[in-house]
């Protein structure tokens, strides 16, 4: 009995310990998953996966995490990251059809490739070091070449143009990075259920990567506890935004395609992730539809909302929320099970058409000029249709204006002439002071740092189009600095256009059930849009030539040196004779030498005479002896000094 | 004869003013015929666009050297900078800058003419002393000043670099000013020109040797031995020699070196360079001071950071060479400029002006960022020695070579950069050809000068023999 108890005691202790840990962290760490589905006006469907993981402030360092990924918390602790966002994107967000003035697009429309920005909580002098270490850590964590952002030529320190005013902010982007499933797998590993269970089980790789747009984002921010002794909490937000084209069988072109989760992803949701606090699926219907059904208010009529003349939903929504222009159906997937999987479907009955709200100005960027010597970059801002309806116009001195921030990084091999900056508003050139409110330039240094341009434009509200052009020279690189596919060209990262006076938010009038996705929509987010990545072809040298170039150039130098020296020391016959006749008179050194040799030999001095061969030979031998002595002396001196050391 | 002499200057002025008019016509073309972006005309050091960028950065209260755009002098920035932003309505931009460059060209030509006239006088004097011109009046001394000035004004290279908005006319002006000051023995002027030239483009620092010789020993003359020889012949004859001449000949067994003038010169150099440095320090007060300036100007010249193509050979070499050897080759190439200074100075010490020409030619070959403006300078200096270099070999071949290169260079550049049908080797081959022609030119001109001295010696000894 005693032995039984003795054997039970450690087990009991362990159990109680485990329970304590589990309880402690369950209260603290929270995970929630959500999926937002949204039909887009151009017959596509947007799926936005949203996972949020919260680790509350705690005072224990090196703590154990129940849900929160340890890799991320270590990252935050080690590099003192205050806020960070990393995104992997493929495809370009279509601002015209997919919207540009809602929280979804302003947060998830990202530039092609990898974009990383981070704010650090370290002294100013250590920010760059922290950034470099962070890029390496992330590079290992996400199997991507984020470590290329380490070099000072690829990142910048925006002051105000990025939207976050901090001098400890670093921003870098890699437009060339190919994003694929090897980046998604480590990203999924950070989720407690991975892609085994819950909403993330929908992420069937072929269907996710078949989409028109794919952006995988990781945003983390630390929350100060405000209490002494407590560390800071971390909020990790992981989103995956995909735009998919549902397969349609209908022949009618103006009919929106009907779809279901299984047709989009090839999978169904079977139950939620058990570790998630909440797991919801949202369906957002936008535009005209929302307006039509706005007057439907009561609960009973809400029932009609999901089965009406326009469309049919395959499942009954648990709740319906409405915003000024859109409807939100909320589904809880806890009820689904293996026998009854959750497979939401939308069937359109009538052709319908609506449009998305767009940002006040739509930005495109392009290159001008031809040839590999110089060119110009132009950013064109075009007023969109919805511009007049938008809130956030600033009226100063009786003038209605739109503010637009432009933030642009130039790699050093694009040598920008900032004095050539020209601004055209409605095809008329404007002087800087008219529209340019603020400008901040940090010019690039060759092979050391990249250039950065931040501009704040204040355009009149009735503007139709505004264009900015800036000239540049193309740099010439060292042969080692070219990538293997040098003739493909070099990428200029996307410019960021943000509208500081416009904020996008979706405010669903009802009290929200603490859904992280909806509360993140409720927050006012800066309206921003990224432009295209530009491909600049640079001149290449001949990569097979280094040896030839070295030898030919050295030959030129030899030619110069040799021929010039030859001309200088050339004597022509008569000149030599002249010298000889001069030499007879003044024999200076030679005479001295022969005298010296004579003394050594103990013979009387022989007067040197050119016509006696004997004297010649003796003189020669004396010369020889002198040379030998000289060499021996040099050798002795060398020996002496070298042994001295 | 007198009529002809009157006509000559008249004709000179006509041609000189014609060249000015020609320049004015060219600069009034809009866009300056796109010459300002030609790599042959504007280098990273002399490009006016980069200067405008530096000025813009300075106006935006940043260091003009921030970024890797501007690498010139801060003084040039404060003189030319305001002109780059001022626009006259209806006129091509940068018109004011172009006018400054035209004025610099005219001044250079006038100074060259002054140098040439001095040299011509010295040549005539020496020839008379040696007794060549006593009997034969038919052997005319060419007016080398007028010729050099016209060569300078009408040289396509000069015109192109003046119209193409590079700052090389100003650098040229500083160099010519230094030589003019030394030739006319205006020591402060010479020192000022020398300091400015060195400040603007570093390489004219080598001119210190010829200028010191010029101030110490006087103008170009045949070797001193010749005078001794002739004197001795004359003394032997002792028929017409006067007492003073004998005294003179005794003195000239050892040519006096005017230490006082040279010291004076060095003092002024010190003064002017202090002055320039103080001015630079004042204008770069907030942006890193003089140290930053040296790093961004001289450092940029010496470390050859910019690998954009030009008519020199360094850009491609350093774009291709392995990084490991970069420093080694940098040292080798720069030392090559210095290597020949001493041998040339020893051999040509009796002809300091010619020595200056050779130095300038060498530095224009081995410069890190050469342009045609440098060639324009040494070609017109070469014209100062038409009397001595009449027997130069390969002159037609060289002329054809320069012509061919200057026609081929834009073609090759176009093929490589704009059309993409050629590759870098096309343009580099051209640059190599240009370097070869320049080397042959320098070597042949030195050789011709030495041969000229030999011929003088031969004829003087013959002369002496005949006399005796």
């Amino acid at each position: 009995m005693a032995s039984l108890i003795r054997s039970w005691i450690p087990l009991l202790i362990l159990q109680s310990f485990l329970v304590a840990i589990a309880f402690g962290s369950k209260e603290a760490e929270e995970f929630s998953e959500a999926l937002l589905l949204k039909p887009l006006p151009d017959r596509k469907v947007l799926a936005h996966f949203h996972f949020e993981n919260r680790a509350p402030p705690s005072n224990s360092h090196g703590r154990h995490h129940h849900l929160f990924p340890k890799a991320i918390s270590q990252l935050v602790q080690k590099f003192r990251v205050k806020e960070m966002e990393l995104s992997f994107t493929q495809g370009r967000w279509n601002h015209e059809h997919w919207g540009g003035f809602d929280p979804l697009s302003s947060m998830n429309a990202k530039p092609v490739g990898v974009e990383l920005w981070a704010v650090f909580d370290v002294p100013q002098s250590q920010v760059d070091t922290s950034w470099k270490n962070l890029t390496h850590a992330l590079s290992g964590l996400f199997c991507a070449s984020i470590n290329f952002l380490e070099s000072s030529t690829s990142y910048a320190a925006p002051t105000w143009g990025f939207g976050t005013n901090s001098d400890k902010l670093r921003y870098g982007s890699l437009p060339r990075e190919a994003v694929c499933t090897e980046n998604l797998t480590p990203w999924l590993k950070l989720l407690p259920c991975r892609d085994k269970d819950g909403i993330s089980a929908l992420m069937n790789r072929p269907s996710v990567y078949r989409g028109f747009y794919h952006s995988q984002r990781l945003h983390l921010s630390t929350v100060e506890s405000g209490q002494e002794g407590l560390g800071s909490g971390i909020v990790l937000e992981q989103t995956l935004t995909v735009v998919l084209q549902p397969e349609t069988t209908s022949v009618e072109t103006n009919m929106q395609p009907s779809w279901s989760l299984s047709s989009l992803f090839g999978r169904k949701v079977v139950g939620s992730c058990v570790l998630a606090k909440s797991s919801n699926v949202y369906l957002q219907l936008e535009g005209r539809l929302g307006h039509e059904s706005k007057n439907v208010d009561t609960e009973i009529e809400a029932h009609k909302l999901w089965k009406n003349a326009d469309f049919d939903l395959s499942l009954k929504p648990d709740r319906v929320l409405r915003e000024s222009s859109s409807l939100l159906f909320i589904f809880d997937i806890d009820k689904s099970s293996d026998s009854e999987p959750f497979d939401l479907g939308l069937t359109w009955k009538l052709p319908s058409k609506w449009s998305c709200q767009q940002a006040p100005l739509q930005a495109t960027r392009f290159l001008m000029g031809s040839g590999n010597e110089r060119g110009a970059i132009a950013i064109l801002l075009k007023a969109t249709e919805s511009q007049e309806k938008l809130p956030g116009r600033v009226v100063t001195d009786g003038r209605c204006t739109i503010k637009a921030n432009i933030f642009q990084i130039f790699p050093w091999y694009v040598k920008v002439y900032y004095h050539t900056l020209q601004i055209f508003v409605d095809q008329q050139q404007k002087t800087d002071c008219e529209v340019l409110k603020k400008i901040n330039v940090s010019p690039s240094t060759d092979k050391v740092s990249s250039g950065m341009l931040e501009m704040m434009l204040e355009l009149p509200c009735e503007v139709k189009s505004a264009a900015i052009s800036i000239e540049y020279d193309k740099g010439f690189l060292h042969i080692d600095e070219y990538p293997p596919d040098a003739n493909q060209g070099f990428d200029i990262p996307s410019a960021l256009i943000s509208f500081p006076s416009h904020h996008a938010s979706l405010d669903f009038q009802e009290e929200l059930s603490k859904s992280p996705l909806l509360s993140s929509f409720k927050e006012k987010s800066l309206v921003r849009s990224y432009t295209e990545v530009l491909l600049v072809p640079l001149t290449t040298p001949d990569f097979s030539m280094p040896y030839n170039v070295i030898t030919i150039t050295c030959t030129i130098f030899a030619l110069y040196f040799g021929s010039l020296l030859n001309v200088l020391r050339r004597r022509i016959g008569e000149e030599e004779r002249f010298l000889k006749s001069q030499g007879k008179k003044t024999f200076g050194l030679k005479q001295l030498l022969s005298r010296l040799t004579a003394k050594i030999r103990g013979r009387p001095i022989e007067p040197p005479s050119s016509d006696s061969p004997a004297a010649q030979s003796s003189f020669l031998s004396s010369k020889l002896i002198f040379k030998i002595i000289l060499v021996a002396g040099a050798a002795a001196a060398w020996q002496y000094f070298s042994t001295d050391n | 004869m007198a009529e002809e002499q009157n006509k000559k200057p008249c004709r000179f002025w006509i041609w000189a003013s014609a060249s000015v008019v020609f320049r004015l016509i060219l600069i009034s073309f809009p866009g300056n015929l796109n010459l300002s972006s030609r790599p042959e005309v504007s280098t990273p050091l002399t490009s006016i666009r980069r200067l405008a960028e530096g000025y813009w950065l300075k106006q935006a209260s940043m260091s003009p050297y921030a970024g890797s755009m501007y690498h010139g002098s801060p003084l040039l920035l404060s003189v030319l900078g305001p002109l780059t932003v001022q626009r006259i309505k209806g006129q091509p931009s940068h018109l004011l800058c172009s006018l400054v460059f035209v004025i610099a060209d005219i001044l250079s030509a006038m100074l060259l003419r002054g140098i040439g006239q001095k040299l011509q006088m010295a040549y005539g004097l020496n020839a008379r002393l040696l007794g060549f011109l006593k009997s034969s009046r038919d052997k005319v001394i060419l007016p080398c000043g007028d010729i050099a000035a016209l060569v300078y004004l009408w040289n396509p290279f000069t015109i192109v670099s003046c119209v193409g908005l590079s700052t090389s006319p100003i650098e040229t002006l500083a160099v010519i000013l230094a030589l003019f000051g030394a030739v006319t023995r205006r020591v402060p002027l010479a020192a000022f020109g020398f300091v400015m030239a060195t400040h603007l483009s570093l390489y004219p620092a080598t001119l210190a040797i010829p200028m010191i010789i010029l101030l110490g020993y006087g103008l170009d003359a045949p070797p001193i031995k010749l005078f001794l020889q002739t004197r001795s012949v004359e003394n032997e004859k002792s028929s017409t020699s006067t007492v003073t001449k004998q005294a003179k000949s005794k003195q000239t067994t050892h040519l006096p070196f005017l230490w006082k003038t040279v010291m004076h010169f060095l003092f002024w150099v010190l003064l002017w360079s202090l002055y320039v440095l103080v001015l630079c320090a004042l204008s770069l007060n907030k942006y890193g001071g003089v140290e930053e300036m040296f790093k961004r100007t001289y450092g940029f010249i010496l470390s050859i950071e910019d690998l954009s193509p030009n008519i020199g050979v360094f850009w491609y070499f350093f774009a291709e060479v392995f990084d490991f050897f970069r420093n080694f080759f940098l040292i080798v190439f720069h030392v090559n400029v210095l290597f020949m200074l001493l041998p040339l100075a020893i051999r040509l010490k009796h002809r300091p002006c010619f020595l200056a020409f050779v130095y300038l030619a060498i530095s224009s070959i081995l410069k890190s960022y050469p342009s045609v403006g440098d060639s324009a300078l040494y070609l017109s200096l070469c014209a100062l020695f038409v009397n001595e270099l009449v027997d130069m070999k390969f002159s037609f071949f060289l002329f054809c070579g320069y012509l061919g290169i200057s026609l081929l260079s834009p073609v090759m550049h176009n093929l490589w950069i704009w059309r993409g049908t050629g590759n870098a080797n096309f343009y580099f081959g051209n640059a190599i050809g240009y370097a070869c022609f320049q080397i042959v030119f320098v070597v042949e001109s030195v050789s011709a000068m030495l041969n000229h001295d030999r011929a003088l010696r031969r004829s003087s000894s013959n002369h002496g023999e005949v006399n005796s």
Side-chain angles (χ1 to χ4, degrees):
Chain A
M1 187 65 192
S3 72
L4 196 69
I5 288 172
R6 214 174 297 140
S7 68
W8 269 100
I9 283 172
L11 214 61
L12 275 172
I13 291 171
L14 191 71
Q15 201 180 6
S16 60
F17 187 62
L18 275 175
V19 165
I21 286 177
F23 264 100
S25 43
K26 216 167 213 170
E27 281 172 3
E29 297 188 353
E30 276 177 17
F31 172 71
S32 63
E33 53 179 3
L35 167 66
L36 178 82
L37 294 161
K38 184 176 164 188
L40 296 171
D42 62 340
R43 303 160 60 80
K44 296 188 178 68
V45 177
L46 178 134
H48 175 69
F49 295 87
H50 183 273
F51 307 96
E52 195 180 270
N53 214 333
R54 279 172 181 272
S58 96
N59 48 3
S60 57
H61 284 283
R63 61 190 175 176
H64 299 282
H65 290 287
H66 180 55
L67 293 171
F68 199 82
K70 192 167 183 181
I72 296 295
S73 75
Q74 279 175 339
L75 208 72
V76 171
Q77 275 168 14
K78 180 137 194 230
F79 303 120
R80 319 264 328 256
V81 181
K82 211 170 166 190
E83 198 175 356
M84 185 194 94
E85 190 176 83
L86 172 68
S87 69
F88 295 87
T89 310
Q90 250 181 357
R92 208 176 109 65
W93 184 265
N94 187 340
H95 286 274
E96 203 181 331
H97 290 120
W98 304 345
F101 200 80
D102 51 339
L104 196 68
S105 63
S106 62
M107 280 191 292
N108 293 294
K110 287 285 166 187
V112 178
V114 169
E115 187 203 46
L116 172 70
W117 61 266
V119 185
F120 296 93
D121 188 22
V122 291
Q124 188 63 44
S125 56
Q126 293 168 22
V127 174
D128 285 315
T129 331
S130 296
W131 167 265
K132 284 170 187 175
N133 293 331
L134 178 72
T135 56
H136 275 274
L138 288 174
S139 168
L141 204 59
F142 288 100
C143 299
S145 37
I146 306 171
N147 57 324
F148 285 154
L149 289 175
E150 178 204 13
S151 100
S152 55
T153 54
S154 55
Y155 69 87
T159 49
W160 46 264
F162 188 67
T164 315
N165 287 331
S166 167
D167 51 353
K168 289 167 185 174
L169 171 70
R170 294 293 178 273
Y171 172 92
S173 90
L174 296 171
R176 184 67 69 85
E177 184 75 13
V179 179
C180 201
T181 176
E182 82 260 21
N183 305 116
L184 185 63
T185 309
W187 183 83
L188 282 171
K189 271 189 185 172
L190 302 176
L191 300 175
C193 293
R194 305 216 174 163
D195 56 344
K196 304 288 180 223
D197 209 1
I199 286 169
S200 51
L202 281 175
M203 289 182 198
N204 179 27
R205 303 300 191 281
S207 47
V208 163
Y209 286 100
R210 198 175 49 209
F212 286 78
Y213 178 80
H214 162 95
S215 173
Q216 154 198 342
R217 194 170 68 102
L218 179 138
H219 180 270
L220 67 87
S221 52
T222 53
V223 186
E224 288 302 323
S225 57
Q227 283 178 321
E228 269 310 305
L230 273 186
S232 50
I234 311 168
V235 179
L236 173 69
E237 195 188 349
Q238 285 174 268
T239 64
L240 177 76
T241 312
V242 283
V243 175
L244 301 168
Q245 174 84 63
E247 282 168 22
T248 171
T249 48
S250 86
V251 239
E252 276 184 86
T253 45
N254 54 353
M255 188 80 167
Q256 288 280 336
S258 304
W259 49 265
S260 68
L261 279 183
S262 53
S263 78
L264 284 177
F265 294 101
R267 289 183 188 179
K268 292 166 188 170
V269 181
V270 280
S272 60
C273 172
V274 285
L275 296 167
K277 191 173 161 249
S278 71
S279 49
N280 293 319
V281 172
Y282 302 89
L283 175 69
Q284 191 188 358
L285 290 179
E286 221 182 14
R288 197 168 54 84
L289 295 162
H291 279 295
E292 267 185 5
S293 27
K294 202 179 175 183
N295 43 8
V296 190
D297 251 328
T298 56
E299 278 289 321
I300 309 132
E301 287 192 50
H303 169 74
K304 280 185 186 166
L305 279 175
W306 60 281
K307 268 193 200 300
N308 58 18
D310 266 356
F311 59 87
D312 257 355
L313 294 182
S314 65
L315 293 171
K316 180 184 182 296
D318 293 316
R319 295 170 74 194
V320 183
L321 296 178
R322 55 186 68 79
E323 203 248 354
S324 57
S325 67
S326 62
L327 272 178
L328 194 71
F329 300 96
I330 304 178
F331 303 89
D332 203 344
I333 58 168
D334 282 335
K335 284 173 255 167
S336 62
S337 64
D338 279 340
S339 56
E340 200 186 327
F342 178 83
D343 185 13
L344 176 65
L346 176 66
T347 317
W348 293 94
K349 290 177 181 167
L350 286 174
S352 61
K353 221 174 171 186
W354 70 95
S355 63
C356 286
Q357 244 191 345
Q358 292 175 39
L361 299 168
Q362 197 189 342
T364 44
R365 191 176 61 160
F366 50 91
L367 289 176
M368 300 196 292
S370 65
N372 282 339
E373 197 181 17
R374 58 178 187 274
I377 297 174
I379 296 175
L380 182 66
L381 301 170
K382 259 192 195 159
T384 52
E385 287 168 17
S386 56
Q387 187 234 316
E388 281 161 26
K389 292 174 272 174
L390 293 179
R393 296 160 157 228
V394 184
V395 181
T396 46
D397 315 329
R399 273 196 326 137
C400 160
T401 53
I402 303 173
K403 277 186 192 165
N405 276 351
I406 297 173
F407 168 64
Q408 162 88 72
I409 291 183
F410 299 106
W412 71 264
Y413 41 81
V414 173
K415 302 178 170 187
V416 177
Y417 289 97
Y418 293 100
H419 76 274
T420 60
L421 180 76
Q422 284 177 315
I423 301 170
F424 298 88
V425 176
D426 293 332
Q427 270 111 51
Q428 280 178 322
Q429 188 171 359
K430 298 277 174 179
T431 50
D432 289 354
C433 50
E434 277 179 88
V435 280
L436 194 63
K437 212 177 166 210
K438 251 205 288 190
I439 185 166
N440 180 30
V441 160
S442 88
S444 61
T445 317
D446 284 1
K447 297 173 193 187
V448 175
S449 66
S450 58
M452 185 187 63
L453 171 69
E454 292 169 298
M455 284 196 292
M456 185 187 277
L457 298 180
E458 209 174 47
L459 300 165
C461 282
E462 61 278 5
V463 66
K464 287 277 170 292
S465 72
I468 297 139
S469 83
I470 192 160
E471 288 174 30
Y472 68 92
D473 271 357
K474 295 181 182 180
F476 290 81
L477 279 68
H478 185 262
I479 193 166
D480 292 342
E481 288 162 344
Y482 287 94
D485 53 347
N487 283 307
Q488 192 197 328
F490 290 70
D491 293 296
I492 303 182
S494 302
L496 171 67
I497 321 284
S498 54
F499 302 95
S501 51
H502 293 80
H503 292 278
S505 67
L506 283 179
D507 194 6
F508 295 99
Q509 287 133 0
E510 283 179 44
E511 176 57 37
L512 298 175
S513 55
K514 283 179 274 176
S515 161
L517 175 66
L518 294 188
S519 56
S520 80
F521 280 178
K522 202 173 177 180
E523 278 171 26
K524 285 196 169 183
S525 60
L526 194 63
V527 175
R528 47 175 73 173
S529 66
Y530 287 90
T531 63
E532 299 91 338
V533 168
L534 292 178
L535 189 66
V536 182
L538 290 190
T539 317
T540 53
D542 189 339
F543 292 106
S544 59
M545 284 277 281
Y547 290 102
N548 300 0
V549 169
I550 292 168
T551 48
I552 290 171
T553 313
C554 290
T555 311
I556 297 286
F557 275 84
L559 175 74
Y560 152 74
F561 193 79
S563 55
L564 194 54
L565 206 64
N566 187 33
V567 162
L568 287 182
R569 59 152 287 282
R570 189 195 297 151
R571 307 253 188 232
I572 294 171
E574 60 178 298
E575 214 171 357
E576 263 165 15
R577 244 174 288 133
F578 172 76
L579 272 182
K580 257 178 209 162
S581 63
Q582 289 269 307
K584 270 179 212 166
K585 287 171 206 164
T586 57
F587 221 77
L589 188 70
K590 285 181 188 173
Q591 210 166 18
L592 195 80
L593 275 179
S594 66
R595 216 175 267 174
L596 200 76
T597 47
K599 257 199 180 162
I600 291 166
R601 289 175 187 175
R603 283 182 206 166
I605 303 161
E606 291 172 57
S609 60
S610 56
D611 39 23
S612 96
Q616 196 95 27
S617 67
S618 85
F619 170 67
L620 270 181
S621 63
S622 73
K623 209 172 170 183
L624 193 73
I625 288 166
F626 176 70
K627 272 184 188 168
I628 290 167
I629 291 169
L630 198 73
V631 169
W638 174 254
Q639 188 70 24
Y640 176 73
F641 280 113
S642 60
T643 49
D644 210 34
N645 291 340
Chain B
M1 196 78 190
E3 261 178 39
E4 224 173 73
Q5 272 178 355
N6 279 343
K7 251 186 199 172
K8 265 271 169 72
C10 191
R11 218 185 293 159
F12 168 78
W13 288 113
I14 289 171
W15 278 106
S17 45
S19 79
V20 174
V21 171
F22 184 58
R23 278 173 168 74
L24 290 177
I25 291 170
L26 284 182
I27 60 172
S28 62
F29 272 108
N32 277 315
L33 313 163
N34 271 332
L35 279 172
S36 54
S37 59
R38 300 292 316 164
E40 295 88 357
V41 177
S42 64
T43 64
L45 290 173
T46 60
S47 150
I48 196 94
R49 271 181 102 202
R50 287 178 179 250
L51 190 139
E53 177 72 7
Y55 183 70
W56 188 86
L57 287 174
K58 201 177 173 191
Q59 292 302 101
S61 62
M62 263 180 273
S63 162
Y65 298 115
S68 303
M69 271 300 176
Y70 186 58
H71 298 284
S73 147
L75 303 182
L76 212 57
L77 195 71
S78 37
V79 173
L80 287 180
L83 300 181
T84 58
V85 286
Q86 268 173 16
R87 303 250 153 83
I88 303 167
K89 269 252 165 111
Q91 296 295 332
S93 55
H94 297 328
L95 185 76
L96 290 169
C97 280
S98 309
L99 284 176
V100 170
F101 295 141
V102 171
I103 291 166
D105 262 6
I106 299 168
L107 278 178
S108 305
M110 292 307 112
L111 293 177
L112 261 179
R113 190 161 180 256
I115 296 172
Q117 279 163 347
K118 279 273 176 188
L119 282 176
Q120 190 184 346
M121 273 165 61
Y123 183 80
L125 192 74
N126 288 325
R128 221 168 292 131
L129 274 178
L130 289 173
F132 299 127
L133 285 186
K134 218 182 283 168
S135 53
S136 52
R137 270 190 70 98
D138 50 351
K139 197 182 175 187
V140 190
I141 308 170
L142 293 168
C144 54
D146 292 3
I147 292 172
L150 284 184
V151 164
Y152 182 77
L153 283 175
W154 277 105
N155 190 342
F157 288 171
T158 327
I159 295 174
V160 157
S161 60
C162 170
V163 176
L165 287 169
S166 81
T167 56
S168 49
I170 291 176
E171 289 166 18
T172 309
L173 175 64
V175 170
I176 292 178
L177 191 68
L179 287 179
F180 177 77
V183 166
T184 53
R185 312 195 75 77
R186 293 185 173 105
V187 175
L189 188 69
F192 175 71
F194 174 70
V195 168
M196 279 318 289
T198 312
H199 172 67
L200 290 177
S201 63
L202 182 65
Y203 286 94
T206 54
L207 286 183
I209 301 171
M211 286 182 72
I212 285 173
I213 297 176
L214 195 56
L215 291 168
Y217 286 123
L219 275 173
D220 289 28
I224 188 71
K225 285 172 202 156
L226 284 191
F227 290 99
L228 294 179
Q229 234 170 358
T230 15
R231 295 276 153 64
S232 63
V233 171
E234 276 175 9
N235 286 352
E236 274 165 27
K237 280 201 297 176
S238 66
S239 53
T240 52
S241 59
T242 57
V243 187
T244 47
K245 251 196 178 174
Q246 274 179 2
K248 227 184 194 174
S249 76
K250 260 177 200 169
Q251 273 177 5
T252 47
T253 49
H254 214 84
L255 202 66
F257 187 75
L258 304 171
W259 280 109
K260 207 177 150 193
T261 324
V262 172
M263 282 310 173
H264 202 190
F265 172 70
L266 290 179
F267 166 74
W268 274 103
V269 165
L270 199 71
L271 207 69
W272 282 120
S273 38
L274 267 179
Y275 181 59
V276 166
L277 282 181
V278 166
L279 281 185
C280 289
L282 282 181
S283 78
L284 292 174
N285 194 12
K286 284 170 277 177
Y287 319 114
V290 183
E291 200 182 315
E292 176 79 2
M293 179 192 83
F294 281 127
K295 212 175 105 194
R296 293 313 189 103
T297 53
Y298 291 174
F300 180 75
I301 292 172
L302 293 178
S303 63
I304 317 187
E305 288 158 14
D306 196 308
L307 301 176
S308 54
N310 52 43
I311 48 169
V313 288
F314 285 170
W315 62 273
Y316 201 45
F317 185 87
F318 285 105
E320 296 259 343
V321 81
F322 311 105
D323 243 1
F324 182 73
F325 292 113
R326 190 185 157 87
N327 289 335
F328 168 73
F329 278 112
L330 272 180
I331 293 167
V332 167
F333 287 174
H334 289 308
V335 160
N336 251 303
V337 182
L338 304 176
F339 255 151
M340 292 310 282
L341 294 188
L342 204 62
L344 280 167
I346 291 168
R347 202 80 169 88
L348 291 169
K349 62 176 181 300
H350 54 282
R351 293 195 178 274
C353 278
F354 186 73
L355 189 63
F357 150 70
V358 177
Y359 281 2
L360 285 172
I362 287 175
S363 67
S364 113
I365 302 169
L366 303 180
K367 240 182 176 179
S368 24
Y369 311 101
S371 71
V372 288
D374 304 309
S375 312
L377 171 63
Y378 75 75
L379 286 176
S380 48
L381 280 181
C382 176
L384 286 174
F385 307 100
V386 275
N387 290 313
E388 289 92 338
L389 296 179
V390 276
D391 299 328
M392 196 170 133
K393 278 188 280 182
F394 304 136
S395 48
F396 181 67
F397 166 72
L398 283 171
F399 174 74
C400 292
Y402 272 83
L403 198 70
I405 291 296
S406 44
L407 292 179
L408 266 182
S409 169
V411 174
M412 294 302 177
H413 191 260
N414 188 287
L415 280 181
W416 174 38
I417 299 282
W418 293 94
R419 277 168 213 283
T421 47
N423 69 7
N425 300 341
F426 284 42
Y427 192 68
F428 180 62
N430 202 60
I432 284 196
Y434 184 61
C436 286
F437 281 120
Q438 280 180 303
I439 288 167
V440 172
F441 177 74
V442 170
V443 168
E444 281 313 315
S445 56
V446 170
S447 159
M449 186 51 96
L450 292 175
N451 280 338
H452 172 76
D453 284 348
R454 270 182 209 119
L456 275 186
R457 187 171 303 145
R458 205 177 308 138
S459 63
S460 77
S461 57
N462 287 348
H463 192 71
E465 274 162 29
V466 168
N467 274 0
S468 62

